[in-house]
């Protein structure tokens, strides 16, 4: 039987949609017993989004973020629902919620109240903008957070409109940062018995991910702008067109620049005064890209990727998402998993991206049916899962 790193951790999951469920799913993958508390009348909103699968009531968005969890349905405004919830909290190590600030207080389930029930509770909150500051009351969506954190203004090509990142970096980033905070607080709890409150937000996650942009601004005084796929500080490091598609090249230091010139069959470019040093290449970045693409136009992507890799230059093809999921390396790294489901038959899900040699993450439970574990969790007969 596989040992799990977080075996014995009990998590009460009061989250919905993306950021919170992503956080608690990562904890569940590592072995935590995550009990998802859902409201009556349909449960998590994502059970009913992106259409139906054609067999059951739950939509694919729910499947993506809720494996390895158990589900109970509780009306937190009712006397019985509140009593059952407090029983769960009394036996929990962690609670995660992603309501708007003030909701848990109005329910009488804020940290100060629950710490009286369980002084060792790690109480984690994810919100749009945090629980303090002038934007605390604003609704939080990934798109809004990306825009206000500057990511939309930084994404896309210089002559194009602002664009959001292709994946929901604020939602997923806040979930990841929350996991990080929970594990730090849990270590402290194991050492001292003390719980604590932690919180993060979509906005802070988005700002925290703009590491290069903050560095550029503070070091130069220049306000960062859109650069397409190119790097802010070194070149060539971007996407390039080939005879039959696109590829990426990462020759972002002087040594790799020399390797690239040789692999392209144009060693004379290495000392061309327009491109001889990184400052030269950054000043002439558009011209550099034009020269490189004129060479790449002679052959297709696979040819150039093989040739550059053989020459010691980091390079790769730009793929469509169906190609990514079918790629032999994606499969070899276990990043595509299949879970037996009592209604759907099989549900595909992405694998866990960190490999632990002694306590690996595993896919053990299908995304739960609404209230599937009501009796198991609340019947008073269960051990920690």
């Amino acid at each position: 039987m596989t040992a799990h790193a977080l075996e014995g951790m009990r998590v009460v999951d009061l989250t919905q949609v993306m950021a919170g469920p992503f956080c608690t799913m990562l904890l569940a993958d590592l072995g935590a017993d995550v009990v998802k508390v859902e409201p009556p009348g349909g449960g998590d909103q994502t059970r009913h989004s992106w259409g139906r699968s054609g067999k059951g009531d739950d939509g694919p968005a729910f499947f993506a973020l809720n494996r390895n969890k158990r589900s109970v349905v509780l009306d937190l405004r009712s006397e019985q629902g509140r009593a059952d919830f407090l029983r769960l909290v009394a036996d929990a190590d962690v609670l995660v919620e992603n309501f708007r600030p003030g909701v848990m207080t109005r329910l009488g389930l804020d940290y100060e109240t629950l710490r009286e029930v369980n002084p060792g509770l790690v109480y984690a909150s994810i919100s749009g903008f945090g629980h303090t500051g002038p934007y605390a009351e604003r609704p939080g969506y990934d798109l809004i957070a990306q825009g206000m954190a500057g990511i939309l203004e930084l994404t896309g090509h210089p002559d194009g409109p602002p664009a959001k990142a292709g994946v929901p970096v604020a939602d997923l980033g806040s979930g990841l940062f929350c996991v990080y905070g929970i594990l730090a607080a849990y270590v402290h709890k194991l050492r001292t018995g003390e719980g604590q409150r932690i919180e993060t937000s979509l906005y802070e996650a988005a700002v925290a991910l703009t590491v290069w942009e903050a560095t550029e601004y503070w070091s130069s005084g220049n306000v960062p702008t859109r650069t397409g796929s190119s790097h802010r500080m070194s070149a060539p490091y971007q996407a390039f067109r080939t005879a039959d598609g696109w590829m990426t090249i990462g020759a972002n230091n002087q040594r790799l620049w020399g390797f690239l010139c040789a692999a392209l069959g144009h060693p004379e470019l290495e000392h061309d005064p327009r491109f001889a040093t990184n400052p030269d290449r950054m000043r002439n970045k558009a011209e550099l890209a034009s020269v490189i693409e004129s060479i790449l136009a002679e052959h297709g992507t696979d040819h150039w990727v093989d040739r550059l890799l053989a020459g010691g230059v980091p390079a790769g093809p730009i793929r469509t998402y169906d190609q990514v999921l079918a790629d032999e390396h994606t499969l070899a790294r276990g990043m595509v998993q299949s879970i037996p489901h009592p209604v759907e038959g099989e549900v595909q899900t992405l694998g866990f991206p960190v490999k632990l040699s002694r306590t690996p993450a595993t896919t053990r439970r299908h995304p739960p049916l609404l209230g599937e574990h009501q009796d198991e969790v609340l019947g008073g007969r269960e051990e920690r899962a």
Side-chain angles (χ1 to χ4, degrees), residues 20-310:
F22 184 61
C23 166
T24 53
M25 183 180 72
L26 296 178
L27 296 172
D29 288 348
L30 289 169
D33 176 20
V34 176
V35 177
K36 186 175 181 71
V37 178
E38 302 188 67
D44 189 323
Q45 298 172 40
T46 56
R47 287 187 182 272
H48 312 289
S49 63
W50 291 7
R52 299 291 192 272
S53 64
K55 296 180 181 179
D57 293 331
D58 297 335
F62 180 81
F63 296 149
L65 296 163
N66 290 285
R67 64 178 179 244
N68 287 333
K69 303 179 186 180
R70 300 191 288 170
S71 169
V72 300
V73 175
L74 295 178
D75 181 356
L76 298 180
R77 292 181 171 84
S78 73
E79 184 176 340
Q80 184 60 55
R82 179 183 174 85
D84 287 336
F85 181 75
L86 292 178
R87 283 174 50 209
L88 289 178
V89 168
D91 191 40
D93 299 297
V94 178
L95 178 145
V96 187
E97 61 90 11
N98 65 342
F99 292 114
R100 287 180 67 173
V103 170
M104 290 293 279
T105 300
R106 289 194 293 273
L107 289 170
L109 301 173
D110 55 282
Y111 173 62
E112 296 303 325
T113 299
L114 296 187
R115 71 187 291 193
E116 297 298 320
V117 177
N118 182 350
L121 183 68
V122 174
Y123 186 112
S125 299
I126 304 174
S127 59
F129 294 91
H131 285 240
T132 59
Y135 303 152
E137 297 301 318
R138 294 192 182 192
Y141 285 89
D142 178 86
L143 176 68
I144 309 303
Q146 284 197 40
M148 294 183 67
I151 292 178
L152 265 76
E153 185 60 30
L154 297 167
T155 304
H157 289 277
D159 57 350
K164 74 179 183 68
V167 297
V169 293
D171 267 330
L172 299 179
S174 62
L176 283 167
F177 283 126
C178 194
V179 169
Y180 175 72
I182 287 169
L183 294 180
Y186 185 59
V187 170
H188 178 77
K189 167 191 167 70
L190 294 177
R191 195 167 57 235
T192 67
E194 297 175 342
Q196 60 184 296
R197 185 182 180 196
I198 63 175
E199 60 145 325
T200 190
S201 69
L202 277 64
Y203 178 74
E204 287 163 282
V207 172
L209 293 173
T210 60
V211 175
W212 282 126
E213 292 69 29
T215 300
E216 179 184 0
Y217 177 69
W218 284 325
S219 63
S220 69
N222 297 322
V223 176
T225 57
R226 295 186 288 280
T227 63
S229 64
S230 66
H231 199 277
R232 300 193 174 279
M233 300 182 183
S234 56
Y237 188 96
Q238 66 184 83
F240 294 96
R241 188 187 297 273
T242 70
D244 64 359
W246 291 83
M247 68 178 294
T248 52
I249 297 174
N252 59 339
N253 62 46
Q254 201 63 25
R255 175 170 170 268
L256 291 174
W257 167 241
F259 287 174
L260 175 61
C261 295
L264 291 174
H266 288 268
E268 74 280 0
L269 287 175
E270 182 176 2
H271 303 293
D272 186 309
R274 296 171 297 173
F275 314 131
T277 68
N278 187 62
D280 296 327
R281 294 190 290 277
M282 289 297 293
R283 277 193 300 271
N284 299 292
K285 187 161 61 172
E287 187 175 5
L288 173 63
S290 179
V291 169
I292 291 174
E293 286 194 338
S294 69
I295 298 169
L296 296 178
E298 299 170 5
H299 300 285
T301 296
D302 289 345
H303 169 90
W304 285 117
V305 170
D306 291 344
R307 184 161 170 174
L308 267 59
L309 290 176

